């Protein structure tokens, strides 16, 4: 039986989740729900969590005037609760301060060391704590600042342990050649391939000056570099009984900002530890809010919980995922979102379900019409899109089916037809119920919170259920 293992990045806990994080987590959750429906819940594993051994966290705890562990517990709980609140169906939530993770990191470190791929050296370089990475001069902007964090990096000079990434150029290129899906979308794959071909340098994997983190097994004065530790979470989560088989089916869903870590350093670390790399990495794009980059200083950082309180979890999920194609960059417009809610959700799918069920009650006393069982071309196309991770296109197919059903209603004027030719009207109701059934099956994936109400409306073999309002109009 096929298995699937989906992961999101484990997020830094120096702040609360915003809708950029929610976007990645909701997209992953949506793919997970598709596969659970297709291959069974027990064959899909979905892990998310928090990345805690970072200097950012130490600074944030100090700023909050809290002891580090107290701060971490509080923040990890906020992340976990946020995902629960917005309907993320993770199977496990991993924290990098947990013993199961520390043990796995230590084991993998030892394997890589035994391979001869770790050595001690001196590092002088420019380090950005925002990215938790060393930056080359060529990567800085015209002011010598980190382009992502708009801050001058720190000059660091310290003894470091290094990982021989340079040994893995050829094996990595081979892995990419063997499997065109190893890293998607295509644009990211090309970018990373040319990065590898330009020559890989060894990377520092320890911090002498770090205040907090997992101690380096060889030299307790050093802490393991946060990225070296964080990537291993994907394996740590499988230490629970019965999960080992999931590894060969691992898909890492990440944002494009962390592609190199996931498709160059991580597979090389795994190869060094004699573990096969993950099956695939999919790097989604970044989005702006009404055309502006999200930033604290601009005050346009949106909380997913605030949006979900106003519009509901299904709207949050669909609104974000339908704004631009998964894998591309895009924009999320609050104005378009409110309009999407009114026209597509309340006026589109909500109104369709309500109208059809009300009419079946009115003209057929709620008896279930013979639903047309023809294999739906919408469903097949929907599956194809979900399997290609083209989530936005899958959503378009959902709404295309809503439109098809609305057109059937309006073209046949079934409410008039029923008065003059009831058998003909019953056939139309059967077609419409067929459409609603497919939409309900899709809703288990796209609109999980409305799914039950939609199923209830469709009813059972004898009768349809009561008509309900799925999306209350806001205006
Ligand atoms: O990088 N648009 O964590 P992080 C879309 N701890 N996605 C966005 C976004 C935006 N504007 N802003 C953030 C880390 N994201 C590491 C990961 S994994 C072993 C360690 C999403 O808290 C996007 O998915 O900075 C990005 O990759 C992720 O948040 C980064 O989260």
């Amino acid at each position: 039986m096929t298995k699937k293992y989906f992961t999101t990045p484990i997020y830094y806990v120096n702040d609360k989740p915003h809708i950029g994080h929610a976007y990645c987590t909701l997209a992953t959750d949506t793919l997970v729900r598709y596969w659970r429906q297709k291959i069974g819940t027990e064959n899909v594993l979905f892990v998310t969590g928090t990345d805690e051994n970072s200097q950012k966290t130490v600074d944030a705890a100090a700023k909050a005037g809290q002891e580090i562990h107290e701060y971490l517990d509080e923040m990890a709980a906020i992340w976990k609760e946020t995902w629960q609140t917005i309907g993320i169906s993770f199977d496990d939530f991993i924290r990098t301060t947990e013993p199961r993770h520390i043990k796995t990191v230590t084991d993998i470190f030892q394997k890589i060391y035994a391979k001869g791929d770790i050595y001690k050296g001196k590092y002088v370089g420019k380090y950005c704590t925002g990215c938790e990475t060393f930056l080359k001069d060529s990567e800085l902007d015209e002011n010598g600042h980190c382009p992502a964090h708009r801050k001058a990096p720190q000059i660091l000079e310290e003894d470091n342990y290094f990982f021989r990434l340079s040994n893995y150029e050829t094996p990595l290129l081979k892995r990419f050649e063997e499997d065109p899906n190893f890293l998607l979308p295509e644009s990211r794959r090309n970018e990373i391939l040319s990065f590898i071909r330009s020559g890989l340098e060894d990377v520092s994997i320890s911090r002498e000056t770090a205040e907090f983190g997992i101690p380096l097994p060889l030299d307790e004065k050093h802490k393991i570099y946060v990225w070296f530790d964080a990537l291993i979470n994907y394996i740590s989560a499988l230490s629970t009984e019965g999960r080992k088989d999931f590894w060969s089916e691992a898909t890492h869903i990440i944002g494009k900002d962390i592609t190199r870590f996931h498709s160059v350093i991580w597979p090389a670390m795994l190869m060094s530890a004699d573990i096969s790399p993950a099956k695939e990495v999919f790097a989604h794009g970044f989005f702006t809010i009404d055309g502006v980059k999200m930033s604290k200083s601009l005050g346009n950082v949106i909380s997913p919980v605030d949006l979900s309180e106003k519009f509901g979890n299904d709207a949050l999920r669909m609104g974000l995922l339908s704004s631009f194609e998964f894998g591309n960059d895009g924009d999320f417009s609050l104005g378009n979102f409110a309009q999407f809610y009114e026209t597509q959700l309340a006026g589109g799918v909500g109104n369709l379900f309500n109208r059809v069920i009300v009419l079946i009650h009115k003209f057929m006393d709620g008896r279930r019409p013979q639903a047309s069982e023809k294999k739906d071309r919408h469903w097949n196309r929907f599956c194809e899109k979900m399997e290609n991770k083209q989530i936005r296109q899958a959503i378009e197919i959902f709404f295309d089916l809503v439109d098809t059903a609305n057109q059937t209603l309006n073209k046949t004027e079934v409410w008039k037809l029923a008065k003059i030719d009831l058998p003909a009207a019953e056939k139309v109701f059967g077609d419409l119920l067929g459409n609603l059934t497919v939409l309900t099956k899709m809703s288990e994936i796209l609109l999980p919170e409305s799914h039950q109400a939609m199923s209830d409306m469709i009813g059972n073999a004898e009768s349809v259920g009561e008509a309900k309002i799925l999306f209350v109009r806001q205006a």
Side-chain angles (χ1 to χ4, degrees), residues 8-12 18 20-21 23-24 51 56 79 227 230-231 233-234 254-258 262 284-287 294:
T8 70
I10 49 167
Y11 301 103
Y12 289 126
H18 61 57
H21 308 117
Y23 173 73
C24 184
D51 188 355
K56 289 174 195 257
W79 281 79
W227 268 104
L231 290 160
N233 90 84
Y234 303 128
I254 57 164
K256 64 174 185 178
D257 55 328
I258 53 180
H262 283 82
H284 67 75
F286 264 51
F287 60 93
M294 236 187 305

Side-chain angles (χ1 to χ4, degrees), residues 207-270:
R207 285 285 98 80
E208 196 181 10
T209 49
E211 295 166 55
F212 188 67
I214 303 181
L216 199 85
L218 298 176
D219 186 342
E220 302 258 319
K221 281 210 312 285
H222 291 248
K223 300 284 187 291
I224 292 182
Y225 171 44
V226 58
W227 268 104
F228 190 89
D229 130 30
L231 290 160
I232 295 174
N233 90 84
Y234 303 128
I235 299 274
S236 311
L238 301 184
S239 51
T240 305
E241 215 19 58
R243 288 190 180 167
K244 285 277 175 289
D245 289 356
F246 281 100
W247 178 247
S248 57
E249 295 300 328
T251 298
H252 299 314
I253 305 290
I254 57 164
K256 64 174 185 178
D257 55 328
I258 53 180
T259 314
R260 272 188 207 173
F261 289 105
H262 283 82
S263 61
V264 181
I265 300 181
W266 178 225
M269 285 166 61
L270 287 163

Side-chain angles (χ1 to χ4, degrees), residues 93-207:
F93 186 94
I94 188 155
R95 299 179 55 188
T96 56
T97 44
E98 284 178 69
R100 61 172 169 162
H101 175 67
I102 297 168
K103 182 178 178 322
T104 312
V105 170
T106 311
D107 290 350
I108 291 188
F109 182 94
Q110 300 286 18
K111 281 193 181 168
I112 297 179
Y113 181 65
K115 211 20 137 21
D117 281 337
I118 289 175
Y119 65 94
K120 195 172 180 180
K122 197 169 241 351
Y123 204 102
V124 186
K126 295 181 178 164
Y127 192 82
C128 171
T129 19
C131 301
E132 289 283 14
T133 190
F134 281 102
L135 295 171
K136 292 184 191 163
D137 283 338
S138 59
E139 290 171 317
L140 303 177
D141 67 14
E142 61 285 1
N143 304 314
H145 290 175
C146 160
H149 295 92
R150 308 224 171 269
K151 270 204 288 211
Q154 282 172 273
I155 309 284
L156 281 189
E157 179 175 351
E158 55 177 41
D159 281 340
N160 273 188
Y161 288 84
F162 287 81
F163 169 58
R164 287 190 207 278
L165 183 62
S166 56
N167 274 356
Y168 290 89
E169 239 170 78
T170 311
L172 280 168
L173 288 173
K174 187 161 168 271
R175 183 72 185 87
F176 272 85
E177 263 158 35
E178 274 166 11
D179 187 357
N181 296 329
F182 181 53
L183 169 63
L184 286 171
E186 193 72 22
S187 53
R188 298 273 94 84
R189 178 183 163 86
N190 294 337
E191 189 183 297
I192 293 294
L193 272 171
S194 68
F195 174 72
I196 301 173
R197 287 190 187 117
S198 73
L200 295 177
E201 288 173 19
D202 294 346
V203 289
S204 155
I205 55 157
S206 74
R207 285 285 98 80

Side-chain angles (χ1 to χ4, degrees), residues 215-449:
L216 199 85
L218 298 176
D219 186 342
E220 302 258 319
K221 281 210 312 285
H222 291 248
K223 300 284 187 291
I224 292 182
Y225 171 44
V226 58
W227 268 104
F228 190 89
D229 130 30
L231 290 160
I232 295 174
N233 90 84
Y234 303 128
I235 299 274
S236 311
L238 301 184
S239 51
T240 305
E241 215 19 58
R243 288 190 180 167
K244 285 277 175 289
D245 289 356
F246 281 100
W247 178 247
S248 57
E249 295 300 328
T251 298
H252 299 314
I253 305 290
I254 57 164
K256 64 174 185 178
D257 55 328
I258 53 180
T259 314
R260 272 188 207 173
F261 289 105
H262 283 82
S263 61
V264 181
I265 300 181
W266 178 225
M269 285 166 61
L270 287 163
M271 287 175 185
S272 174
D274 295 322
I275 303 172
S276 64
K279 188 168 176 177
E280 49 181 18
V281 174
F282 187 94
H284 67 75
F286 264 51
F287 60 93
T288 47
I289 305 286
D290 292 315
V292 182
K293 193 179 163 202
M294 236 187 305
S295 96
K296 255 187 159 176
S297 51
L298 291 173
N300 66 345
V301 177
I302 299 175
S303 149
V305 176
D306 290 350
L307 269 192
S308 116
E309 267 168 15
K310 179 142 192 245
F311 294 94
N313 284 343
D314 284 342
L316 172 70
R317 176 185 300 255
M318 275 266 211
L320 278 173
L321 297 178
S322 66
S323 291
F324 55 97
E325 189 53 88
F326 196 49
N328 296 347
D329 289 333
D331 185 56
F332 178 69
S333 143
L334 285 169
N336 289 352
F337 177 58
Q339 201 187 349
F340 170 81
Y341 182 90
E342 291 300 323
T343 57
Q344 304 283 79
L345 294 178
V349 61
N351 188 41
L352 170 71
F353 268 71
N354 192 276
R355 252 175 110 191
V356 171
I357 301 301
V358 164
L359 288 172
I360 294 177
H361 275 286
K362 181 161 177 192
F363 294 108
M364 296 182 65
D365 292 326
R367 256 185 313 112
R368 184 190 177 92
Q370 190 72 39
S372 64
E373 284 299 331
K374 60 178 186 314
K375 272 280 164 245
D376 197 275
R377 80 191 156 86
H378 281 92
W379 175 253
N380 294 336
R381 278 166 55 221
F382 175 83
C383 293
E384 189 191 313
K385 299 299 177 194
M386 287 303 294
E387 290 183 24
N388 290 334
K389 304 184 187 65
Q390 291 163 310
I391 304 178
R392 184 196 193 183
Q393 290 185 47
I395 293 175
E396 275 169 9
I397 292 167
F398 176 90
F399 284 115
D400 187 55
L401 185 52
V402 171
D403 285 348
T404 304
N406 270 324
Q407 276 165 22
T408 306
L409 263 176
N410 296 335
K411 250 195 347 237
T412 58
E413 296 189 306
V414 65
W415 54 95
K416 289 185 188 161
L417 183 66
K419 289 182 188 153
I420 49 171
D421 185 351
L422 190 57
E426 287 197 11
K427 202 181 156 305
V428 176
F429 286 133
D431 284 346
L432 290 168
L433 201 66
N435 293 155
L436 298 196
T437 306
V438 176
L439 289 169
T440 302
K441 200 165 164 193
M442 292 175 180
S443 77
E444 193 175 15
I445 297 153
L446 298 178
L447 298 167
E449 294 208 337

